[in-house]
Amino acid sequence: MSWTTPKRAFIGAAAAEGGTKLNAFDNALLKLGIGNVNLVKLSSVIPAHIEWIDEVHDVPIGMLLPTVYAHIESDEPGMTISAALGIGISENNEGGLIYEYSGYCTKEEAEEMVRKMVEEGFERRGWKLAEFKVASASITVKDKPAAALAVVVMFPY
């Protein structure tokens, strides 16, 4: 297998219910169009000059997709769960960082946590933050297990 530097990336988030916590997670993946691929978990560095796309399409079944993701599942009725990714892009799109968070919290709390993480990561590196993006999902568990998922999928093409 040959790994190449990604050229394009997709940002998304979804929440879903299912018969089990794993089915809820799978249903959230399906909502994002990445339920029939194999996610390869990445750490959190964005290559320079990446192009951001609005949707996932034409991905072969079983493809290995490099992905940064945050997820949480619960079957505790009444619990609110959230997942968020904070995406920081440097000046002139020379690279960036992604930070992930999930927990028993509101969507807004998860988004604030990843914003703080991105700001600290940029400060530590001495980079200037030119753009901040966030992807987040939240759901309150009712009578079925639920999942919240936020992703950045990177494509080599």
Side-chain angles (χ1 to χ4, degrees), residues 33-144:
I34 55 173
N36 294 322
V37 299
N38 293 297
L39 304 180
V40 178
K41 187 139 178 137
L42 299 177
S43 58
S44 308
V45 178
I46 301 168
H49 308 293
I50 196 115
E51 174 191 348
W52 296 96
I53 61 174
D54 295 328
E55 65 180 304
V56 176
H57 52 83
D58 301 327
V59 179
I61 292 174
M63 182 177 181
L64 300 178
L65 277 181
T67 309
V68 178
Y69 59 97
H71 67 98
I72 185 169
E73 299 82 27
S74 178
D75 55 8
E76 298 176 50
M79 295 302 297
T80 298
I81 56 175
S82 300
L85 290 180
I87 300 101
I89 308 296
S90 66
E91 278 187 312
N92 301 315
N93 197 10
E94 293 295 328
L97 300 171
I98 307 166
Y99 285 90
E100 60 270 12
Y101 180 79
S102 60
Y104 290 88
C105 62
T106 66
K107 182 177 176 177
E108 293 77 19
E109 289 169 323
E111 288 177 355
E112 181 60 26
M113 180 65 76
V114 294
R115 176 179 287 281
K116 289 178 182 176
M117 292 174 167
V118 167
E119 289 170 353
E120 181 178 331
F122 269 70
E123 182 180 316
R124 180 75 173 116
R125 287 168 175 80
W127 293 356
K128 184 172 180 197
L129 181 60
E131 183 179 357
F132 177 77
K133 300 174 186 259
V134 66
S136 61
S138 184
I139 189 169
T140 299
V141 181
K142 294 179 183 144
D143 57 347
K144 291 182 177 179

